[in-house]
Coordinates of all heavy atoms in Angstrom, one line a residue:
I1 N -9.3 1.7 -9.7 CA -10.7 1.5 -9.2 C -11.8 2.1 -10.2 O -11.7 3.2 -10.5 CB -10.8 2.1 -7.8 CG1 -9.7 1.5 -7.0 CG2 -12.1 2.0 -7.3 CD1 -9.6 2.2 -5.6
K2 N -12.7 1.2 -10.5 CA -13.8 1.7 -11.3 C -14.8 2.6 -10.6 O -15.3 2.2 -9.5 CB -14.4 0.5 -12.0 CG -15.5 0.9 -13.0 CD -16.1 -0.5 -13.6 CE -17.3 0.0 -14.5 NZ -18.0 -1.1 -15.0
A3 N -15.2 3.7 -11.1 CA -16.1 4.7 -10.5 C -17.5 3.9 -10.7 O -17.8 3.5 -11.7 CB -16.0 6.1 -11.1
H4 N -18.3 4.2 -9.8 CA -19.7 3.8 -9.8 C -20.7 4.8 -10.0 O -20.6 5.8 -9.3 CB -20.0 2.9 -8.5 CG -21.3 2.1 -8.6 ND1 -21.5 1.0 -9.3 CD2 -22.6 2.5 -8.1 CE1 -22.8 0.7 -9.2 NE2 -23.4 1.5 -8.4
N5 N -21.6 4.6 -10.8 CA -22.7 5.6 -11.1 C -23.9 5.2 -10.3 O -24.6 4.3 -10.6 CB -23.0 5.7 -12.6 CG -21.8 6.3 -13.4 OD1 -21.2 7.1 -13.0 ND2 -21.8 5.7 -14.7
Y6 N -24.0 6.1 -9.2 CA -25.2 5.8 -8.4 C -26.4 6.3 -8.8 O -26.4 7.4 -9.6 CB -24.9 6.3 -6.9 CG -23.8 5.6 -6.2 CD1 -22.6 6.1 -6.2 CD2 -24.0 4.3 -5.7 CE1 -21.5 5.4 -5.5 CE2 -23.1 3.7 -4.9 CZ -21.7 4.2 -5.0 OH -20.7 3.7 -4.3
K7 N -27.6 5.6 -8.6 CA -29.0 6.0 -9.0 C -29.8 6.1 -7.7 O -29.6 5.3 -6.8 CB -29.5 5.1 -10.1 CG -28.7 5.1 -11.4 CD -29.2 4.1 -12.4 CE -28.9 2.8 -11.9 NZ -28.7 1.7 -12.7
V8 N -30.9 6.8 -7.9 CA -31.8 7.0 -6.8 C -32.5 5.5 -6.7 O -32.8 4.8 -7.7 CB -33.0 7.9 -7.2 CG1 -34.1 7.9 -6.1 CG2 -32.5 9.3 -7.3
G9 N -32.7 5.1 -5.5 CA -33.1 3.8 -5.3 C -32.1 2.6 -4.9 O -32.4 1.6 -4.5
D10 N -30.8 3.0 -5.4 CA -29.7 1.9 -5.3 C -29.4 1.9 -3.7 O -29.7 2.8 -2.9 CB -28.5 2.4 -5.9 CG -28.6 2.2 -7.4 OD1 -29.6 1.6 -7.9 OD2 -27.6 2.6 -8.2
F11 N -28.7 0.9 -3.3 CA -28.2 0.8 -1.9 C -26.7 0.8 -2.0 O -26.1 0.4 -2.9 CB -28.7 -0.6 -1.4 CG -30.2 -0.5 -1.0 CD1 -31.2 -0.9 -1.9 CD2 -30.5 -0.2 0.4 CE1 -32.5 -1.0 -1.6 CE2 -31.8 -0.2 0.7 CZ -32.9 -0.5 -0.2
A12 N -26.2 1.5 -0.9 CA -24.7 1.6 -0.8 C -24.4 1.4 0.7 O -25.1 1.8 1.7 CB -24.2 2.9 -1.4
Y13 N -23.1 1.0 0.9 CA -22.5 1.0 2.2 C -21.8 2.3 2.3 O -21.3 2.9 1.5 CB -21.4 -0.3 2.3 CG -22.0 -1.5 2.2 CD1 -21.9 -2.3 1.0 CD2 -22.7 -2.1 3.4 CE1 -22.5 -3.6 1.1 CE2 -23.2 -3.4 3.3 CZ -23.1 -4.1 2.2 OH -23.6 -5.3 2.2
L14 N -21.7 2.7 3.7 CA -21.1 4.0 4.0 C -19.8 3.6 4.8 O -19.8 2.9 5.8 CB -21.9 4.8 4.8 CG -21.5 6.1 5.4 CD1 -21.2 7.1 4.2 CD2 -22.6 6.8 6.2
L15 N -18.6 4.4 4.4 CA -17.4 4.1 5.1 C -17.7 4.5 6.7 O -18.1 5.5 7.0 CB -16.3 5.0 4.6 CG -15.0 4.8 5.3 CD1 -14.4 3.5 4.9 CD2 -14.0 6.0 4.6
N16 N -17.2 3.8 7.6 CA -17.3 3.9 9.0 C -16.0 4.5 9.5 O -15.0 3.8 9.7 CB -17.6 2.5 9.7 CG -17.8 2.6 11.1 OD1 -18.1 3.7 11.7 ND2 -17.9 1.6 11.9
K17 N -16.1 5.7 9.8 CA -15.0 6.6 10.2 C -14.9 6.5 11.8 O -13.9 6.9 12.3 CB -15.0 7.9 9.8 CG -14.7 8.1 8.3 CD -14.6 9.5 7.8 CE -14.1 9.5 6.4 NZ -13.8 11.0 6.0
N18 N -15.9 6.1 12.4 CA -16.0 6.1 14.0 C -15.4 4.7 14.4 O -16.0 3.8 14.1 CB -17.4 6.3 14.4 CG -18.0 7.7 14.1 OD1 -17.2 8.6 13.9 ND2 -19.2 7.8 13.9
S19 N -14.4 4.8 15.2 CA -13.8 3.6 15.8 C -14.3 3.5 17.3 O -14.3 4.5 18.0 CB -12.3 3.6 15.7 OG -11.8 4.5 16.3
K20 N -14.5 2.3 17.7 CA -15.1 2.2 19.1 C -13.9 1.9 19.9 O -13.0 1.2 19.7 CB -16.1 0.9 19.2 CG -17.4 1.2 18.5 CD -18.3 -0.1 18.6 CE -19.4 0.1 17.7 NZ -20.3 -1.0 17.8
I21 N -13.8 2.5 21.0 CA -12.7 2.6 22.1 C -12.7 1.1 22.6 O -13.8 0.5 23.0 CB -13.0 3.6 23.1 CG1 -12.9 4.9 22.5 CG2 -11.8 3.4 24.2 CD1 -13.2 5.9 23.5
G22 N -11.6 0.5 22.7 CA -11.4 -0.7 23.3 C -11.2 -2.0 22.3 O -11.1 -3.1 22.6
L23 N -11.7 -1.6 21.0 CA -11.7 -2.7 20.0 C -10.6 -2.4 19.0 O -10.4 -1.3 18.6 CB -13.1 -2.8 19.4 CG -14.4 -3.1 20.2 CD1 -15.5 -3.0 19.3 CD2 -14.2 -4.6 20.7
S24 N -10.1 -3.4 18.5 CA -9.0 -3.3 17.5 C -9.7 -2.8 16.2 O -10.7 -3.3 15.7 CB -8.4 -4.7 17.3 OG -7.5 -4.7 16.0
K25 N -9.0 -2.0 15.6 CA -9.6 -1.4 14.2 C -9.6 -2.5 13.2 O -10.4 -2.3 12.3 CB -8.8 -0.2 13.8 CG -9.0 1.2 14.5 CD -8.2 2.2 13.9 CE -8.5 3.6 14.6 NZ -7.9 4.7 13.9
K26 N -8.6 -3.4 13.3 CA -8.7 -4.5 12.3 C -9.9 -5.3 12.3 O -10.3 -5.9 11.5 CB -7.5 -5.3 12.5 CG -6.2 -4.6 12.0 CD -4.9 -5.6 12.3 CE -3.7 -5.0 11.8 NZ -2.6 -6.1 11.8
L27 N -10.5 -5.5 13.6 CA -11.6 -6.3 13.8 C -13.1 -5.6 13.6 O -14.0 -6.3 13.5 CB -11.5 -7.0 15.0 CG -10.4 -7.8 15.5 CD1 -10.4 -8.3 16.8 CD2 -10.3 -9.0 14.4
Q28 N -12.9 -4.3 13.4 CA -14.2 -3.6 13.2 C -14.5 -3.5 11.8 O -13.7 -3.5 10.9 CB -14.1 -2.1 13.8 CG -13.9 -2.2 15.3 CD -13.8 -0.6 15.8 OE1 -14.3 0.3 15.2 NE2 -13.0 -0.5 16.8
S29 N -15.8 -3.5 11.5 CA -16.2 -3.4 10.1 C -15.8 -2.0 9.6 O -16.0 -1.1 10.2 CB -17.7 -3.7 10.0 OG -18.4 -2.8 10.7
K30 N -15.4 -2.0 8.3 CA -15.0 -0.8 7.6 C -16.2 0.0 7.2 O -16.1 1.1 6.9 CB -14.0 -1.0 6.4 CG -12.8 -1.6 7.0 CD -11.8 -1.8 5.7 CE -10.4 -2.5 6.3 NZ -9.7 -2.6 5.1
Y31 N -17.3 -0.7 6.9 CA -18.5 0.0 6.3 C -19.8 -0.3 7.1 O -19.9 -1.3 7.8 CB -18.7 -0.5 4.9 CG -17.6 -0.1 3.8 CD1 -16.6 -0.7 3.6 CD2 -17.7 1.2 3.2 CE1 -15.6 -0.3 2.8 CE2 -16.7 1.7 2.4 CZ -15.7 0.9 2.1 OH -14.8 1.4 1.2
K32 N -20.7 0.7 7.1 CA -21.9 0.5 7.7 C -23.1 0.4 6.7 O -23.0 0.9 5.6 CB -22.3 1.7 8.7 CG -21.4 1.9 9.7 CD -21.7 3.0 10.6 CE -21.7 4.4 10.0 NZ -22.0 5.5 10.9
G33 N -24.2 -0.2 7.0 CA -25.3 -0.2 6.1 C -25.7 -1.5 5.6 O -25.4 -2.4 6.3
P34 N -26.3 -1.6 4.5 CA -26.5 -0.7 3.4 C -27.6 0.3 3.7 O -28.6 0.1 4.4 CB -26.8 -1.5 2.2 CG -27.4 -2.7 2.9 CD -26.8 -2.9 4.0
Y35 N -27.5 1.4 3.0 CA -28.4 2.5 3.2 C -29.0 2.8 1.7 O -28.2 2.7 0.7 CB -27.8 3.8 3.7 CG -27.3 3.7 5.0 CD1 -25.9 3.6 5.3 CD2 -28.1 3.5 6.1 CE1 -25.4 3.4 6.6 CE2 -27.7 3.3 7.4 CZ -26.3 3.3 7.6 OH -25.8 3.0 9.0
Q36 N -30.2 3.2 1.7 CA -30.8 3.6 0.3 C -30.5 4.9 -0.1 O -30.5 5.9 0.6 CB -32.3 3.4 0.4 CG -33.0 3.7 -1.0 CD -34.4 3.3 -0.9 OE1 -35.1 3.2 0.3 NE2 -35.0 3.0 -2.1
I37 N -30.2 5.2 -1.4 CA -29.9 6.4 -2.0 C -31.2 7.2 -2.3 O -32.0 6.5 -3.2 CB -28.9 6.3 -3.1 CG1 -27.5 5.8 -2.7 CG2 -28.8 7.7 -4.0 CD1 -26.6 5.4 -3.8
I38 N -31.4 8.3 -1.9 CA -32.7 9.0 -2.2 C -32.5 10.2 -3.0 O -33.4 10.6 -3.8 CB -33.4 9.5 -0.9 CG1 -32.7 10.3 0.0 CG2 -33.8 8.3 -0.2 CD1 -33.4 10.8 1.1
T39 N -31.3 10.7 -3.2 CA -30.9 11.8 -4.1 C -29.6 11.7 -4.6 O -28.6 11.3 -3.8 CB -31.1 13.2 -3.3 OG1 -32.4 13.3 -2.8 CG2 -31.0 14.4 -4.3
V40 N -29.3 12.0 -6.0 CA -28.0 12.0 -6.5 C -27.8 13.5 -6.9 O -28.5 14.0 -7.9 CB -27.8 11.1 -7.5 CG1 -26.3 11.1 -8.3 CG2 -28.0 9.6 -7.1
N41 N -26.7 14.1 -6.4 CA -26.5 15.5 -6.6 C -25.5 15.6 -7.8 O -24.6 14.7 -8.1 CB -26.1 16.4 -5.5 CG -27.2 16.2 -4.4 OD1 -28.3 16.3 -4.7 ND2 -26.7 16.0 -3.2
D42 N -25.4 16.8 -8.5 CA -24.4 17.1 -9.6 C -23.0 17.2 -9.1 O -22.0 17.0 -9.7 CB -24.7 18.2 -10.3 CG -26.1 18.2 -11.1 OD1 -26.5 17.0 -11.5 OD2 -26.7 19.2 -11.3
N43 N -22.7 17.6 -7.8 CA -21.4 17.5 -7.3 C -20.9 16.4 -6.6 O -20.0 16.5 -5.7 CB -21.4 18.8 -6.2 CG -22.2 18.5 -5.0 OD1 -23.0 17.5 -5.0 ND2 -22.3 19.3 -4.0
Q44 N -21.2 15.3 -7.2 CA -20.7 14.0 -6.8 C -21.0 13.6 -5.2 O -20.3 12.9 -4.6 CB -19.3 13.8 -7.0 CG -18.7 14.0 -8.4 CD -17.3 13.9 -8.6 OE1 -16.5 14.0 -7.6 NE2 -16.9 13.6 -9.8
T45 N -22.2 14.1 -4.7 CA -22.7 13.7 -3.5 C -23.9 13.0 -3.7 O -24.7 13.2 -4.7 CB -22.8 15.0 -2.7 OG1 -23.7 15.9 -3.2 CG2 -21.5 15.6 -2.4
V46 N -24.2 12.2 -2.7 CA -25.6 11.6 -2.6 C -26.2 11.7 -1.2 O -25.5 11.9 -0.3 CB -25.4 10.1 -3.0 CG1 -25.0 9.8 -4.4 CG2 -24.6 9.3 -2.0
K47 N -27.5 11.7 -1.2 CA -28.4 11.7 0.1 C -28.7 10.4 0.4 O -29.4 9.7 -0.5 CB -29.4 12.7 0.0 CG -30.1 12.9 1.3 CD -31.3 13.8 1.2 CE -30.8 15.3 1.3 NZ -32.0 16.3 1.5
L48 N -28.4 9.9 1.5 CA -28.8 8.6 2.0 C -29.9 8.7 3.1 O -30.0 9.5 3.9 CB -27.6 7.8 2.7 CG -26.4 7.6 1.7 CD1 -25.2 7.1 2.6 CD2 -26.6 6.8 0.5
L49 N -30.8 7.5 3.1 CA -31.8 7.4 4.0 C -31.2 6.6 5.1 O -30.9 5.3 5.0 CB -33.0 6.7 3.4 CG -34.2 6.5 4.4 CD1 -34.6 7.9 5.0 CD2 -35.3 5.8 3.7
L50 N -31.0 7.2 6.3 CA -30.4 6.6 7.5 C -31.4 6.0 8.4 O -32.6 5.9 8.0 CB -29.4 7.5 8.1 CG -28.3 8.2 7.3 CD1 -27.5 9.2 8.1 CD2 -27.3 7.1 6.7
N51 N -30.9 5.6 9.5 CA -31.8 5.0 10.6 C -32.9 6.1 11.0 O -32.7 7.2 11.0 CB -31.1 4.6 11.8 CG -30.0 3.6 11.4 OD1 -30.1 2.8 10.6 ND2 -29.0 3.4 12.3
N52 N -34.1 5.6 11.3 CA -35.1 6.4 11.8 C -35.6 7.5 10.9 O -35.9 8.7 11.3 CB -34.8 7.0 13.3 CG -34.4 5.9 14.2 OD1 -35.0 4.9 14.3 ND2 -33.5 6.3 15.1
N53 N -35.5 7.2 9.6 CA -35.9 8.1 8.5 C -35.1 9.4 8.5 O -35.5 10.5 8.1 CB -37.4 8.5 8.6 CG -38.3 7.2 8.2 OD1 -37.7 6.5 7.4 ND2 -39.4 7.1 8.8
K54 N -33.8 9.4 9.0 CA -33.0 10.6 9.0 C -32.2 10.5 7.7 O -32.1 9.4 7.1 CB -32.0 10.6 10.2 CG -32.6 10.8 11.4 CD -31.6 10.9 12.5 CE -32.2 11.0 13.9 NZ -31.2 11.0 15.0
T55 N -31.9 11.6 7.1 CA -31.0 11.7 5.9 C -29.7 12.4 6.1 O -29.6 13.2 7.1 CB -31.8 12.5 4.8 OG1 -32.2 13.8 5.2 CG2 -33.2 11.7 4.5
A56 N -28.8 12.1 5.3 CA -27.5 12.7 5.3 C -26.9 12.7 4.0 O -27.1 11.7 3.1 CB -26.5 12.2 6.4
T57 N -26.0 13.8 3.7 CA -25.5 13.8 2.4 C -23.9 13.4 2.5 O -23.4 14.0 3.4 CB -25.5 15.2 1.7 OG1 -26.9 15.6 1.7 CG2 -25.1 15.3 0.4
Y58 N -23.4 12.7 1.6 CA -22.0 12.2 1.7 C -21.5 12.3 0.3 O -22.2 12.0 -0.8 CB -21.9 10.8 2.2 CG -22.4 10.7 3.5 CD1 -23.7 10.1 3.9 CD2 -21.5 10.8 4.6 CE1 -24.0 9.9 5.3 CE2 -21.9 10.8 5.9 CZ -23.1 10.2 6.2 OH -23.5 10.3 7.5
H59 N -20.2 12.3 0.0 CA -19.4 12.3 -1.1 C -19.4 10.8 -1.7 O -19.3 10.0 -0.8 CB -18.0 13.0 -0.9 CG -17.4 13.2 -2.3 ND1 -16.6 12.3 -3.0 CD2 -17.5 14.4 -3.1 CE1 -16.1 12.8 -4.1 NE2 -16.7 13.9 -4.2
H60 N -19.4 10.7 -2.9 CA -19.5 9.4 -3.4 C -18.2 8.5 -3.0 O -18.3 7.3 -3.1 CB -19.7 9.4 -5.0 CG -18.4 9.8 -5.7 ND1 -17.6 8.9 -6.1 CD2 -17.9 10.9 -6.2 CE1 -16.6 9.6 -6.8 NE2 -17.0 10.7 -6.8
N61 N -17.0 9.0 -2.8 CA -15.9 8.3 -2.6 C -16.0 7.7 -1.1 O -15.2 6.9 -0.7 CB -14.6 9.1 -2.7 CG -14.5 10.4 -1.6 OD1 -15.5 10.5 -1.0 ND2 -13.5 11.1 -1.7
L62 N -17.0 8.0 -0.3 CA -17.2 7.3 1.0 C -18.1 6.3 1.0 O -18.4 5.5 1.9 CB -17.8 8.5 2.0 CG -16.8 9.6 2.4 CD1 -17.6 10.5 3.2 CD2 -15.6 9.1 3.0
L63 N -18.6 5.9 -0.2 CA -19.6 4.9 -0.5 C -19.0 3.6 -1.2 O -18.0 3.8 -1.9 CB -20.8 5.3 -1.4 CG -21.6 6.6 -0.7 CD1 -22.5 7.0 -1.7 CD2 -22.1 6.3 0.6
K64 N -19.6 2.5 -0.9 CA -19.3 1.3 -1.6 C -20.6 0.7 -2.1 O -21.5 0.5 -1.4 CB -18.6 0.4 -0.7 CG -18.2 -1.0 -1.3 CD -17.5 -1.8 -0.1 CE -17.3 -3.3 -0.5 NZ -16.7 -4.0 0.5
P65 N -20.7 0.3 -3.5 CA -22.0 -0.2 -3.8 C -22.4 -1.6 -3.2 O -21.5 -2.3 -2.8 CB -21.7 -0.5 -5.4 CG -20.5 0.2 -5.7 CD -19.7 0.3 -4.3
F66 N -23.7 -1.6 -3.0 CA -24.3 -2.8 -2.3 C -24.7 -3.7 -3.5 O -25.6 -3.3 -4.3 CB -25.5 -2.4 -1.5 CG -26.3 -3.7 -1.1 CD1 -25.8 -4.6 -0.1 CD2 -27.5 -4.0 -1.6 CE1 -26.5 -5.6 0.4 CE2 -28.3 -5.0 -1.2 CZ -27.7 -5.9 -0.1
L67 N -24.1 -4.8 -3.6 CA -24.4 -5.8 -4.6 C -25.1 -7.0 -4.2 O -24.8 -7.7 -3.4 CB -23.0 -6.2 -5.4 CG -22.2 -5.1 -5.9 CD1 -20.8 -5.7 -6.4 CD2 -22.9 -4.3 -6.9
S68 N -26.4 -7.1 -4.7 CA -27.2 -8.2 -4.3 C -27.4 -9.3 -5.4 O -27.2 -9.0 -6.6 CB -28.5 -7.8 -3.7 OG -29.3 -7.3 -4.8
D69 N -27.7 -10.5 -5.0 CA -28.0 -11.6 -5.9 C -29.4 -11.5 -6.6 O -29.6 -12.1 -7.6 CB -27.8 -12.9 -5.4 CG -26.2 -13.2 -4.9 OD1 -25.5 -12.5 -5.6 OD2 -26.0 -13.9 -4.0
G70 N -30.3 -10.8 -5.9 CA -31.7 -10.8 -6.4 C -32.3 -9.4 -6.1 O -31.7 -8.4 -6.0
D71 N -33.6 -9.5 -5.9 CA -34.4 -8.4 -5.7 C -34.2 -7.9 -4.3 O -34.4 -8.5 -3.3 CB -35.9 -8.8 -5.9 CG -36.9 -7.7 -5.7 OD1 -36.3 -6.5 -5.8 OD2 -38.0 -7.8 -5.6
V72 N -33.8 -6.5 -4.2 CA -33.6 -6.0 -2.7 C -34.9 -5.9 -1.9 O -34.8 -5.9 -0.8 CB -32.9 -4.6 -2.9 CG1 -32.7 -4.0 -1.6 CG2 -31.7 -4.7 -3.6
S73 N -36.0 -5.8 -2.5 CA -37.3 -5.6 -1.8 C -37.6 -6.8 -0.9 O -38.2 -6.7 0.0 CB -38.4 -5.3 -2.8 OG -38.6 -6.4 -3.6
N74 N -37.0 -8.0 -1.3 CA -37.3 -9.2 -0.5 C -36.2 -9.3 0.5 O -36.1 -10.3 1.2 CB -37.3 -10.4 -1.5 CG -38.4 -10.3 -2.3 OD1 -39.4 -9.8 -2.0 ND2 -38.3 -10.9 -3.5
T75 N -35.2 -8.5 0.6 CA -34.1 -8.6 1.5 C -34.2 -7.8 2.7 O -34.7 -6.6 2.6 CB -32.8 -8.1 0.7 OG1 -32.6 -8.8 -0.5 CG2 -31.5 -8.4 1.6
T76 N -33.9 -8.4 4.0 CA -33.8 -7.6 5.1 C -32.7 -6.8 5.3 O -31.5 -7.4 5.3 CB -34.1 -8.6 6.3 OG1 -35.3 -9.3 6.1 CG2 -34.2 -7.8 7.6
I77 N -32.7 -5.5 5.3 CA -31.7 -4.6 5.4 C -31.5 -4.2 6.9 O -32.4 -3.7 7.5 CB -31.8 -3.3 4.6 CG1 -32.0 -3.6 3.2 CG2 -30.5 -2.5 4.7 CD1 -31.0 -4.4 2.4
Q78 N -30.4 -4.6 7.5 CA -30.1 -4.2 8.9 C -29.2 -3.0 9.0 O -28.2 -2.9 8.4 CB -29.5 -5.3 9.6 CG -30.3 -6.6 9.7 CD -29.7 -7.7 10.5 OE1 -28.6 -7.6 10.8 NE2 -30.5 -8.8 10.8
H79 N -29.6 -2.0 9.7 CA -28.8 -0.7 9.8 C -28.2 -0.8 11.1 O -28.7 -1.1 12.1 CB -29.8 0.6 9.8 CG -30.5 0.6 8.5 ND1 -29.9 1.0 7.4 CD2 -31.8 0.5 8.2 CE1 -30.8 1.1 6.4 NE2 -31.9 0.7 6.9
S80 N -27.0 -0.5 11.1 CA -26.1 -0.5 12.3 C -25.9 0.8 12.9 O -26.2 1.8 12.4 CB -24.7 -1.1 12.1 OG -24.1 -0.5 11.0

């Protein structure tokens, strides 16, 4: 697996560790987001801008890069 170098302003999906009761884990989405990266730290962690302007810090191995075909500013990002 190739490591991804995240930069401020990039978008990334966050691994969804919470499973909903009553639903099959196979049918639930594995990632939430995408969320915008607002800080990249030296210890391989990044700070994400979550819903309602809340922020949280996560290790890079919990993230998956958001790859878009074009300009993200024209894309509607839905937070779950």
Side-chain angles (χ1 to χ4, degrees):
I1 299 174
K2 183 179 176 184
H4 185 78
N5 293 324
Y6 293 102
K7 296 176 283 207
V8 173
D10 286 351
F11 286 84
Y13 292 105
L14 176 63
L15 183 64
N16 187 8
K17 290 189 170 188
N18 298 330
S19 60
K20 294 180 183 177
I21 297 173
L23 296 176
S24 170
K25 285 188 177 184
K26 287 184 178 182
L27 298 177
Q28 294 182 35
S29 59
K30 293 182 182 179
Y31 291 91
K32 298 186 292 184
Y35 300 110
Q36 186 174 14
I37 297 173
I38 57 174
T39 307
V40 178
N41 302 319
D42 292 335
N43 60 352
Q44 298 181 340
T45 60
V46 297
K47 186 180 278 190
L48 300 177
L49 180 62
L50 303 176
N51 300 336
N52 301 326
N53 291 331
K54 294 181 181 180
T55 61
T57 304
Y58 296 98
H59 194 268
H60 74 92
N61 64 355
L62 297 176
L63 302 176
K64 178 179 171 182
F66 172 72
L67 305 174
S68 69
D69 293 335
D71 185 17
V72 178
S73 63
N74 294 332
T75 305
T76 303
I77 306 296
Q78 295 182 351
H79 299 288
S80 51

